[in-house]
Amino acid sequence: MMNIWLIDHYSVPVKYYPLARQTNFAKNLILQGHNVIIFAASTVHNSDINLIEDGKKYIEVMDGKVKYILIHCHQYSGNGIRRIANMYEFAFKLEKICSNFKKPDAIISTSMTLFACKKGLQLGKKYGCKNIAQITDLWPETIVAYQVASKWNPIVLYMRQIEKWIYKNADKIIFSMEGAFDYIQERGWEKVIPRNKVYFINNGVNLDEFNFNRDHYRIIDVDLSNESLFKVIYTGSIRKVNNVNKLLDVALKIKNPNIRILIWGDGDQKEDLLKRIKNEKIENVIFKGKTDKRNIPFIVSMADLNIVHNSSSPLYRFGISFNKIFDYFAAGKPMLTDFECKYNPMVSEDAGIEVSSGDAEKIAEKIEEVARLETNKYMDYCNNAKKAAKKYDFKNLTVLLLKIIQSDNTN
Protein backbone atom coordinates (compact mmCIF):
# COMPACT_ATOMS: atom_id res chain seq x y z
CA MET A 1 0.00 0.00 0.00
CA MET A 2 1.34 3.42 -0.99
CA ASN A 3 0.64 6.91 0.24
CA ILE A 4 0.22 8.96 -2.94
CA TRP A 5 -0.19 12.71 -3.34
CA LEU A 6 -1.69 14.20 -6.50
CA ILE A 7 -0.86 17.90 -6.76
CA ASP A 8 -2.99 19.79 -9.29
CA HIS A 9 -3.85 23.45 -8.83
CA TYR A 10 -7.25 23.15 -10.56
CA SER A 11 -8.40 19.69 -9.48
CA VAL A 12 -11.26 20.58 -7.17
CA PRO A 13 -14.15 18.07 -6.85
CA VAL A 14 -15.65 17.53 -10.29
CA LYS A 15 -19.06 18.84 -9.27
CA TYR A 16 -17.43 22.27 -9.20
CA TYR A 17 -15.09 21.97 -12.20
CA PRO A 18 -15.11 19.04 -14.62
CA LEU A 19 -11.41 18.15 -14.76
CA ALA A 20 -11.79 14.53 -13.73
CA ARG A 21 -8.39 13.04 -14.60
CA GLN A 22 -6.93 13.18 -11.08
CA THR A 23 -10.23 12.19 -9.48
CA ASN A 24 -10.53 9.13 -11.70
CA PHE A 25 -6.96 8.11 -10.96
CA ALA A 26 -7.59 8.65 -7.25
CA LYS A 27 -10.77 6.54 -7.23
CA ASN A 28 -9.03 3.61 -8.88
CA LEU A 29 -5.88 3.88 -6.79
CA ILE A 30 -8.05 3.81 -3.66
CA LEU A 31 -9.89 0.72 -4.94
CA GLN A 32 -6.50 -0.97 -5.21
CA GLY A 33 -5.77 -0.22 -1.55
CA HIS A 34 -3.66 2.93 -1.78
CA ASN A 35 -4.09 6.11 0.24
CA VAL A 36 -4.53 9.15 -2.00
CA ILE A 37 -4.79 12.89 -1.37
CA ILE A 38 -5.48 15.50 -4.06
CA PHE A 39 -4.05 18.95 -3.24
CA ALA A 40 -5.73 21.84 -5.09
CA ALA A 41 -6.50 25.54 -4.75
CA SER A 42 -9.76 26.64 -3.16
CA THR A 43 -10.63 28.79 -6.18
CA VAL A 44 -12.75 27.21 -8.91
CA HIS A 45 -11.39 28.12 -12.34
CA ASN A 46 -13.66 30.07 -14.71
CA SER A 47 -16.05 30.95 -11.90
CA ASP A 48 -16.45 33.31 -8.95
CA ILE A 49 -16.60 30.38 -6.51
CA ASN A 50 -14.12 30.15 -3.67
CA LEU A 51 -14.57 27.03 -1.56
CA ILE A 52 -12.97 28.71 1.49
CA GLU A 53 -14.62 31.92 2.66
CA ASP A 54 -14.13 31.78 6.42
CA GLY A 55 -10.42 32.53 6.72
CA LYS A 56 -9.25 28.91 7.08
CA LYS A 57 -5.86 28.13 5.60
CA TYR A 58 -7.12 24.90 4.12
CA ILE A 59 -10.05 22.52 4.32
CA GLU A 60 -10.47 18.80 3.84
CA VAL A 61 -13.26 17.74 1.49
CA MET A 62 -14.38 14.16 0.97
CA ASP A 63 -16.15 13.37 -2.29
CA GLY A 64 -17.03 9.71 -2.01
CA LYS A 65 -13.78 8.10 -0.92
CA VAL A 66 -11.57 10.73 -2.54
CA LYS A 67 -9.90 13.20 -0.17
CA TYR A 68 -9.19 16.73 -1.38
CA ILE A 69 -7.09 19.22 0.53
CA LEU A 70 -8.11 22.65 -0.74
CA ILE A 71 -5.65 25.43 0.05
CA HIS A 72 -7.04 28.92 0.46
CA CYS A 73 -6.09 31.18 -2.44
CA HIS A 74 -7.44 34.60 -3.36
CA GLN A 75 -10.08 34.97 -6.04
CA TYR A 76 -9.28 36.01 -9.60
CA SER A 77 -11.08 36.40 -12.91
CA GLY A 78 -9.75 36.30 -16.44
CA ASN A 79 -6.07 35.81 -17.25
CA GLY A 80 -4.55 38.91 -15.75
CA ILE A 81 -2.19 39.62 -12.88
CA ARG A 82 -4.60 38.30 -10.24
CA ARG A 83 -4.59 34.87 -11.86
CA ILE A 84 -0.78 34.85 -11.90
CA ALA A 85 -0.82 35.86 -8.23
CA ASN A 86 -3.23 33.00 -7.53
CA MET A 87 -0.81 30.55 -9.17
CA TYR A 88 2.09 31.80 -7.06
CA GLU A 89 -0.02 31.78 -3.91
CA PHE A 90 -0.95 28.11 -4.22
CA ALA A 91 2.64 27.05 -4.88
CA PHE A 92 3.93 29.24 -2.03
CA LYS A 93 1.48 27.84 0.53
CA LEU A 94 1.69 24.23 -0.59
CA GLU A 95 4.75 23.10 1.38
CA LYS A 96 3.51 24.33 4.77
CA ILE A 97 0.07 22.77 4.29
CA CYS A 98 1.57 19.48 3.14
CA SER A 99 3.63 19.26 6.32
CA ASN A 100 0.40 18.42 8.19
CA PHE A 101 0.05 15.10 6.41
CA LYS A 102 1.81 11.74 6.47
CA LYS A 103 4.94 11.59 4.34
CA PRO A 104 4.13 10.36 0.82
CA ASP A 105 5.65 7.41 -1.00
CA ALA A 106 4.99 9.11 -4.32
CA ILE A 107 4.08 12.60 -5.52
CA ILE A 108 2.56 13.23 -8.94
CA SER A 109 2.75 16.95 -9.70
CA THR A 110 0.63 18.23 -12.55
CA SER A 111 0.85 21.14 -14.94
CA MET A 112 -0.88 23.52 -15.41
CA THR A 113 0.42 25.38 -13.34
CA LEU A 114 4.17 25.20 -13.78
CA PHE A 115 4.64 26.79 -10.35
CA ALA A 116 2.64 24.09 -8.58
CA CYS A 117 4.34 21.38 -10.60
CA LYS A 118 7.79 22.68 -9.70
CA LYS A 119 6.90 23.00 -6.02
CA GLY A 120 5.54 19.45 -6.01
CA LEU A 121 8.82 18.15 -7.42
CA GLN A 122 10.74 20.11 -4.81
CA LEU A 123 8.60 18.45 -2.13
CA GLY A 124 9.32 15.07 -3.70
CA LYS A 125 13.02 15.71 -3.38
CA LYS A 126 12.57 16.85 0.21
CA TYR A 127 10.68 13.69 1.16
CA GLY A 128 12.87 11.39 -0.92
CA CYS A 129 9.82 9.77 -2.53
CA LYS A 130 9.00 8.75 -6.07
CA ASN A 131 8.80 12.03 -7.91
CA ILE A 132 6.73 12.27 -11.08
CA ALA A 133 5.70 15.21 -13.26
CA GLN A 134 2.42 14.90 -15.13
CA ILE A 135 2.19 17.23 -18.11
CA THR A 136 -1.36 17.72 -19.34
CA ASP A 137 -0.75 21.09 -21.03
CA LEU A 138 2.35 22.30 -22.85
CA TRP A 139 3.08 25.58 -21.11
CA PRO A 140 4.29 28.06 -22.18
CA GLU A 141 4.03 26.56 -25.70
CA THR A 142 0.24 26.96 -25.56
CA ILE A 143 0.34 30.73 -25.19
CA VAL A 144 2.86 30.96 -28.04
CA ALA A 145 0.76 28.68 -30.29
CA TYR A 146 -2.35 30.77 -29.69
CA GLN A 147 -0.37 33.97 -30.25
CA VAL A 148 -1.07 35.34 -26.80
CA ALA A 149 2.63 36.18 -26.54
CA SER A 150 5.71 35.74 -28.70
CA LYS A 151 8.32 33.11 -27.98
CA TRP A 152 10.71 35.91 -27.02
CA ASN A 153 8.38 37.44 -24.46
CA PRO A 154 10.23 37.66 -21.10
CA ILE A 155 7.41 35.85 -19.28
CA VAL A 156 7.51 33.06 -21.87
CA LEU A 157 11.29 32.76 -21.52
CA TYR A 158 10.94 32.63 -17.72
CA MET A 159 8.30 29.92 -17.97
CA ARG A 160 10.52 27.98 -20.39
CA GLN A 161 13.20 27.86 -17.71
CA ILE A 162 10.72 26.45 -15.20
CA GLU A 163 9.41 23.95 -17.77
CA LYS A 164 12.90 22.67 -18.55
CA TRP A 165 13.72 22.46 -14.83
CA ILE A 166 10.61 20.33 -14.29
CA TYR A 167 11.51 17.93 -17.11
CA LYS A 168 15.11 17.60 -15.91
CA ASN A 169 14.36 17.13 -12.23
CA ALA A 170 11.40 14.76 -12.37
CA ASP A 171 12.26 11.09 -11.95
CA LYS A 172 9.72 10.37 -14.69
CA ILE A 173 7.44 12.49 -16.85
CA ILE A 174 3.95 11.40 -17.86
CA PHE A 175 2.54 13.36 -20.79
CA SER A 176 -1.08 13.27 -21.91
CA MET A 177 -0.01 13.81 -25.54
CA GLU A 178 1.62 10.99 -27.47
CA GLY A 179 4.10 13.12 -29.38
CA ALA A 180 5.60 14.77 -26.32
CA PHE A 181 9.13 13.59 -27.05
CA ASP A 182 8.87 15.25 -30.47
CA TYR A 183 8.32 18.45 -28.52
CA ILE A 184 11.37 17.83 -26.34
CA GLN A 185 13.46 17.22 -29.46
CA GLU A 186 12.14 20.41 -31.09
CA ARG A 187 13.29 22.32 -28.04
CA GLY A 188 16.71 20.64 -28.30
CA TRP A 189 16.44 19.18 -24.78
CA GLU A 190 16.80 15.47 -25.58
CA LYS A 191 20.35 15.24 -24.21
CA VAL A 192 19.30 16.35 -20.73
CA ILE A 193 15.79 14.82 -20.88
CA PRO A 194 16.26 11.30 -22.26
CA ARG A 195 13.53 9.34 -23.98
CA ASN A 196 13.57 6.62 -21.31
CA LYS A 197 12.10 8.91 -18.63
CA VAL A 198 9.17 10.04 -20.81
CA TYR A 199 5.84 8.17 -20.62
CA PHE A 200 2.43 8.65 -22.16
CA ILE A 201 -1.02 8.27 -20.62
CA ASN A 202 -3.78 9.91 -22.62
CA ASN A 203 -7.01 11.09 -21.05
CA GLY A 204 -9.71 8.49 -20.75
CA VAL A 205 -13.23 7.65 -19.67
CA ASN A 206 -14.79 6.30 -16.51
CA LEU A 207 -16.70 3.61 -18.36
CA ASP A 208 -18.87 2.54 -15.41
CA GLU A 209 -19.94 6.13 -14.82
CA PHE A 210 -20.53 6.73 -18.53
CA ASN A 211 -22.75 3.66 -18.83
CA PHE A 212 -24.66 4.53 -15.67
CA ASN A 213 -25.34 8.08 -16.86
CA ARG A 214 -26.31 6.87 -20.33
CA ASP A 215 -28.92 4.55 -18.82
CA HIS A 216 -30.22 6.84 -16.07
CA TYR A 217 -30.02 10.38 -17.48
CA ARG A 218 -31.97 10.22 -20.72
CA ILE A 219 -33.52 13.23 -22.35
CA ILE A 220 -36.59 13.57 -24.54
CA ASP A 221 -35.63 15.13 -27.86
CA VAL A 222 -37.61 14.89 -31.07
CA ASP A 223 -34.51 14.86 -33.28
CA LEU A 224 -32.59 12.28 -31.25
CA SER A 225 -35.54 9.92 -31.38
CA ASN A 226 -36.17 10.42 -35.12
CA GLU A 227 -34.84 7.24 -36.73
CA SER A 228 -35.27 8.66 -40.23
CA LEU A 229 -32.53 11.23 -39.59
CA PHE A 230 -28.78 10.68 -39.80
CA LYS A 231 -27.68 12.55 -36.68
CA VAL A 232 -24.26 14.25 -36.58
CA ILE A 233 -23.60 15.43 -33.03
CA TYR A 234 -21.22 18.05 -31.69
CA THR A 235 -20.88 18.67 -27.95
CA GLY A 236 -18.77 21.42 -26.45
CA SER A 237 -18.21 25.13 -26.13
CA ILE A 238 -19.45 27.58 -28.75
CA ARG A 239 -16.60 30.05 -28.74
CA LYS A 240 -14.34 31.56 -31.38
CA VAL A 241 -11.52 29.13 -30.57
CA ASN A 242 -13.82 26.17 -31.32
CA ASN A 243 -14.77 27.57 -34.75
CA VAL A 244 -18.33 26.20 -34.61
CA ASN A 245 -19.05 28.61 -37.46
CA LYS A 246 -17.33 26.06 -39.71
CA LEU A 247 -20.08 23.53 -38.97
CA LEU A 248 -22.57 25.92 -40.54
CA ASP A 249 -20.35 26.10 -43.63
CA VAL A 250 -20.36 22.30 -43.68
CA ALA A 251 -24.15 22.17 -43.35
CA LEU A 252 -24.57 24.35 -46.42
CA LYS A 253 -22.52 21.83 -48.45
CA ILE A 254 -24.53 18.78 -47.36
CA LYS A 255 -26.95 17.58 -50.05
CA ASN A 256 -28.60 14.68 -48.19
CA PRO A 257 -31.85 16.11 -46.71
CA ASN A 258 -31.94 13.48 -43.96
CA ILE A 259 -28.69 14.61 -42.32
CA ARG A 260 -28.95 16.87 -39.27
CA ILE A 261 -26.11 18.49 -37.33
CA LEU A 262 -27.20 18.71 -33.69
CA ILE A 263 -25.16 20.96 -31.40
CA TRP A 264 -25.20 20.77 -27.59
CA GLY A 265 -23.30 23.51 -25.81
CA ASP A 266 -23.13 27.21 -25.07
CA GLY A 267 -20.76 30.11 -25.48
CA ASP A 268 -20.34 33.72 -26.51
CA GLN A 269 -20.70 32.99 -30.25
CA LYS A 270 -24.01 31.17 -30.03
CA GLU A 271 -26.25 34.19 -30.68
CA ASP A 272 -24.24 35.20 -33.77
CA LEU A 273 -24.52 31.67 -35.14
CA LEU A 274 -28.26 31.59 -34.52
CA LYS A 275 -28.59 34.83 -36.48
CA ARG A 276 -26.59 33.31 -39.31
CA ILE A 277 -28.88 30.27 -39.38
CA LYS A 278 -31.90 32.53 -39.64
CA ASN A 279 -30.41 34.86 -42.25
CA GLU A 280 -29.05 32.08 -44.48
CA LYS A 281 -32.01 29.74 -43.89
CA ILE A 282 -29.81 26.87 -42.72
CA GLU A 283 -32.32 24.18 -41.87
CA ASN A 284 -30.06 21.19 -41.18
CA VAL A 285 -28.32 22.59 -38.08
CA ILE A 286 -30.11 22.73 -34.73
CA PHE A 287 -28.67 24.28 -31.58
CA LYS A 288 -29.92 22.39 -28.54
CA GLY A 289 -28.40 24.61 -25.87
CA LYS A 290 -26.48 23.77 -22.73
CA THR A 291 -27.13 20.47 -21.01
CA ASP A 292 -26.12 18.73 -17.80
CA LYS A 293 -22.87 16.81 -18.28
CA ARG A 294 -24.67 13.68 -17.06
CA ASN A 295 -26.87 13.83 -20.18
CA ILE A 296 -23.93 13.70 -22.58
CA PRO A 297 -23.49 9.89 -22.55
CA PHE A 298 -27.09 9.38 -23.67
CA ILE A 299 -26.88 12.13 -26.29
CA VAL A 300 -23.67 10.91 -27.96
CA SER A 301 -24.86 7.30 -27.80
CA MET A 302 -27.88 8.31 -29.87
CA ALA A 303 -25.69 9.80 -32.60
CA ASP A 304 -25.06 8.22 -35.96
CA LEU A 305 -21.79 10.14 -36.15
CA ASN A 306 -20.01 12.11 -33.42
CA ILE A 307 -17.82 14.93 -34.66
CA VAL A 308 -14.60 16.02 -32.95
CA HIS A 309 -14.50 19.52 -34.37
CA ASN A 310 -11.99 22.26 -33.71
CA SER A 311 -9.75 24.81 -35.33
CA SER A 312 -6.33 23.55 -36.31
CA SER A 313 -3.51 24.37 -33.92
CA PRO A 314 0.28 23.94 -34.06
CA LEU A 315 -0.05 22.13 -30.72
CA TYR A 316 -1.86 19.23 -32.36
CA ARG A 317 1.36 18.03 -34.00
CA PHE A 318 2.17 16.56 -30.59
CA GLY A 319 -1.20 14.84 -30.17
CA ILE A 320 -4.63 15.50 -28.68
CA SER A 321 -6.35 14.41 -25.48
CA PHE A 322 -9.79 16.05 -25.61
CA ASN A 323 -12.08 14.49 -23.02
CA LYS A 324 -14.91 14.28 -25.57
CA ILE A 325 -12.93 11.82 -27.72
CA PHE A 326 -13.15 9.23 -24.97
CA ASP A 327 -16.83 9.90 -24.37
CA TYR A 328 -17.32 9.34 -28.08
CA PHE A 329 -15.41 6.06 -27.91
CA ALA A 330 -17.69 4.96 -25.08
CA ALA A 331 -20.75 5.89 -27.17
CA GLY A 332 -19.75 3.16 -29.60
CA LYS A 333 -20.51 5.19 -32.71
CA PRO A 334 -18.26 6.31 -35.59
CA MET A 335 -16.36 9.56 -35.19
CA LEU A 336 -15.07 12.25 -37.52
CA THR A 337 -12.21 14.65 -36.82
CA ASP A 338 -11.86 17.67 -39.09
CA PHE A 339 -8.42 19.10 -38.33
CA GLU A 340 -4.82 18.04 -38.83
CA CYS A 341 -3.35 15.99 -36.01
CA LYS A 342 -0.26 13.80 -36.15
CA TYR A 343 -1.20 11.59 -33.20
CA ASN A 344 -4.94 11.04 -33.43
CA PRO A 345 -6.34 8.27 -31.18
CA MET A 346 -9.48 8.00 -33.29
CA VAL A 347 -7.37 7.20 -36.34
CA SER A 348 -5.03 4.81 -34.52
CA GLU A 349 -8.05 2.91 -33.16
CA ASP A 350 -9.78 2.94 -36.59
CA ALA A 351 -12.93 4.32 -35.01
CA GLY A 352 -13.85 6.78 -37.73
CA ILE A 353 -12.76 9.16 -40.45
CA GLU A 354 -10.31 12.06 -40.47
CA VAL A 355 -10.52 15.15 -42.70
CA SER A 356 -7.18 16.76 -41.96
CA SER A 357 -7.68 19.67 -44.36
CA GLY A 358 -10.58 21.18 -42.42
CA ASP A 359 -12.21 22.06 -45.75
CA ALA A 360 -15.99 22.45 -45.35
CA GLU A 361 -16.84 20.76 -48.64
CA LYS A 362 -14.63 17.76 -47.89
CA ILE A 363 -16.07 17.45 -44.38
CA ALA A 364 -19.56 17.47 -45.87
CA GLU A 365 -18.55 14.78 -48.37
CA LYS A 366 -17.19 12.57 -45.61
CA ILE A 367 -20.33 12.98 -43.50
CA GLU A 368 -22.41 11.89 -46.48
CA GLU A 369 -20.00 9.03 -47.10
CA VAL A 370 -20.52 7.73 -43.54
CA ALA A 371 -24.27 8.06 -43.99
CA ARG A 372 -24.00 5.76 -47.03
CA LEU A 373 -21.75 3.14 -45.43
CA GLU A 374 -22.71 -0.49 -45.68
CA THR A 375 -23.83 -1.93 -42.36
CA ASN A 376 -20.73 -4.12 -41.92
CA LYS A 377 -18.29 -1.24 -42.34
CA TYR A 378 -20.38 1.04 -40.13
CA MET A 379 -20.43 -1.61 -37.40
CA ASP A 380 -16.66 -2.05 -37.69
CA TYR A 381 -16.25 1.58 -36.66
CA CYS A 382 -18.75 1.10 -33.82
CA ASN A 383 -16.99 -1.99 -32.49
CA ASN A 384 -13.56 -0.38 -32.75
CA ALA A 385 -14.83 2.59 -30.75
CA LYS A 386 -16.12 0.26 -28.02
CA LYS A 387 -12.76 -1.55 -27.89
CA ALA A 388 -10.97 1.79 -27.60
CA ALA A 389 -13.26 2.81 -24.72
CA LYS A 390 -12.18 -0.27 -22.78
CA LYS A 391 -8.53 0.46 -23.54
CA TYR A 392 -8.90 4.03 -22.28
CA ASP A 393 -11.07 3.15 -19.29
CA PHE A 394 -9.49 4.79 -16.24
CA LYS A 395 -9.33 1.35 -14.59
CA ASN A 396 -6.77 0.33 -17.21
CA LEU A 397 -5.05 3.71 -17.30
CA THR A 398 -4.57 3.50 -13.52
CA VAL A 399 -2.89 0.10 -13.89
CA LEU A 400 -0.47 1.77 -16.30
CA LEU A 401 0.03 4.68 -13.91
CA LEU A 402 0.86 2.31 -11.05
CA LYS A 403 3.41 0.47 -13.17
CA ILE A 404 5.12 3.77 -13.88
CA ILE A 405 5.04 4.79 -10.22
CA GLN A 406 6.33 1.50 -8.91
CA SER A 407 8.97 0.83 -11.53
CA ASP A 408 12.49 1.42 -10.29
CA ASN A 409 13.83 1.46 -13.80
CA THR A 410 13.09 3.76 -16.69
CA ASN A 411 11.24 2.34 -19.66
Side-chain angles (χ1 to χ4, degrees):
M1 182 180 72
M2 300 178 69
N3 188 30
I4 301 170
W5 290 358
L6 304 178
I7 295 173
D8 186 337
H9 185 117
Y10 297 109
S11 193
V12 295
V14 293
K15 63 183 176 182
Y16 298 110
Y17 192 63
L19 284 180
R21 182 180 174 99
Q22 315 315 331
T23 299
N24 282 317
F25 279 141
K27 286 178 178 178
N28 285 287
L29 288 167
I30 291 165
L31 285 173
Q32 296 188 42
H34 302 285
N35 294 321
V36 183
I37 302 175
I38 297 176
F39 291 89
S42 65
T43 44
V44 179
H45 188 49
N46 285 339
S47 81
D48 58 0
I49 298 172
N50 195 320
L51 298 173
I52 300 178
E53 295 183 335
D54 58 3
K56 291 181 180 177
K57 294 180 179 179
Y58 71 92
I59 59 172
E60 178 179 316
V61 174
M62 295 296 298
D63 189 359
K65 294 184 178 181
V66 180
K67 179 189 292 187
Y68 299 82
I69 300 302
L70 304 180
I71 298 173
H72 179 262
C73 294
H74 288 85
Q75 200 67 35
Y76 68 92
S77 61
N79 294 309
I81 190 66
R82 290 180 66 87
R83 184 180 180 191
I84 295 173
N86 176 275
M87 295 177 185
Y88 270 109
E89 184 178 17
F90 176 75
F92 178 77
K93 292 179 175 179
L94 185 63
E95 183 170 1
K96 186 173 183 179
I97 301 302
C98 285
S99 67
N100 293 290
F101 299 91
K102 182 181 177 182
K103 176 182 173 182
D105 301 300
I107 297 178
I108 302 175
S109 306
T110 299
S111 69
M112 165 80 168
T113 71
L114 292 176
F115 310 122
C117 192
K118 180 179 180 180
K119 177 57 70 172
L121 292 174
Q122 290 172 331
L123 288 174
K125 288 180 178 293
K126 173 182 176 180
Y127 292 122
C129 65
K130 295 178 184 291
N131 207 9
I132 298 168
Q134 181 177 216
I135 309 301
T136 54
D137 293 285
L138 290 175
W139 286 83
E141 187 66 20
T142 296
I143 60 177
V144 174
Y146 286 108
Q147 300 181 335
V148 176
S150 82
K151 64 182 180 180
W152 303 116
N153 184 290
I155 294 175
V156 170
L157 294 174
Y158 172 60
M159 292 176 76
R160 285 266 188 241
Q161 292 179 336
I162 299 175
E163 178 191 29
K164 187 176 181 181
W165 186 95
I166 287 169
Y167 295 174
K168 285 179 63 177
N169 285 274
D171 296 336
K172 298 169 186 176
I173 317 164
I174 299 172
F175 286 90
S176 65
M177 59 290 298
E178 189 173 356
F181 197 69
D182 295 351
Y183 173 69
I184 290 171
Q185 289 178 311
E186 282 190 19
R187 301 242 53 83
W189 295 345
E190 67 271 18
K191 290 184 179 179
V192 293
I193 305 158
R195 176 67 183 85
N196 62 5
K197 69 184 286 185
V198 175
Y199 295 78
F200 162 61
I201 302 180
N202 212 323
N203 281 328
V205 60
N206 182 332
L207 207 48
D208 289 341
E209 181 179 64
F210 181 96
N211 291 337
F212 179 89
N213 288 341
R214 180 197 60 206
D215 295 339
H216 291 82
Y217 294 96
R218 297 170 176 250
I219 64 171
I220 297 172
D221 184 274
V222 64
D223 296 302
L224 278 183
S225 61
N226 189 339
E227 295 183 359
S228 68
L229 295 178
F230 185 87
K231 299 173 282 288
V232 180
I233 289 179
Y234 168 86
T235 60
S237 297
I238 304 172
R239 299 176 297 143
K240 183 177 180 180
V241 69
N242 301 105
N243 194 21
V244 179
N245 196 53
K246 173 68 71 62
L247 293 181
L248 274 59
D249 297 337
V250 171
L252 288 169
K253 303 290 185 181
I254 291 175
K255 300 178 179 66
N256 186 332
N258 294 321
I259 293 175
R260 293 287 185 279
I261 299 176
L262 309 179
I263 297 174
W264 269 271
D266 205 356
D268 55 17
Q269 280 208 317
K270 181 181 174 182
E271 291 305 315
D272 290 339
L273 297 181
L274 288 172
K275 289 178 183 176
R276 184 181 168 194
I277 284 176
K278 182 178 179 180
N279 293 338
E280 299 182 34
K281 296 181 172 58
I282 303 173
E283 297 180 350
N284 54 354
V285 176
I286 303 172
F287 282 82
K288 297 293 186 176
K290 189 176 182 179
T291 190
D292 191 303
K293 183 171 171 44
R294 294 176 298 183
N295 297 332
I296 294 298
F298 175 74
I299 291 169
V300 298
S301 296
M302 293 293 287
D304 295 297
L305 176 67
N306 285 306
I307 185 165
V308 184
H309 167 76
N310 216 319
S311 300
S312 293
S313 167
L315 291 173
Y316 298 162
R317 69 190 185 275
F318 306 120
I320 51 175
S321 55
F322 306 149
N323 288 320
K324 71 176 67 177
I325 291 176
F326 307 97
D327 283 342
Y328 290 175
F329 280 149
K333 297 295 176 67
M335 302 158 60
L336 184 147
T337 55
D338 62 359
F339 51 87
E340 186 173 2
C341 177
K342 185 176 179 181
Y343 299 93
N344 187 333
M346 184 212 71
V347 173
S348 62
E349 301 297 338
D350 194 19
I353 293 174
E354 178 186 40
V355 186
S356 59
S357 68
D359 179 77
E361 188 163 353
K362 290 182 179 179
I363 296 168
E365 289 173 359
K366 288 298 182 181
I367 290 173
E368 293 190 303
E369 180 182 312
V370 177
R372 294 192 303 267
L373 282 176
E374 294 181 358
T375 300
N376 287 344
K377 181 58 179 175
Y378 184 87
M379 291 307 301
D380 283 344
Y381 285 135
C382 294
N383 291 331
N384 289 340
K386 291 174 185 177
K387 290 177 184 177
K390 292 179 181 178
K391 175 180 176 179
Y392 290 105
D393 187 349
F394 267 100
K395 289 179 183 176
N396 293 321
L397 297 183
T398 304
V399 171
L400 179 56
L401 177 66
L402 266 176
K403 287 181 179 178
I404 295 171
I405 295 172
Q406 294 174 335
S407 172
D408 290 329
N409 300 315
T410 50
N411 60 358

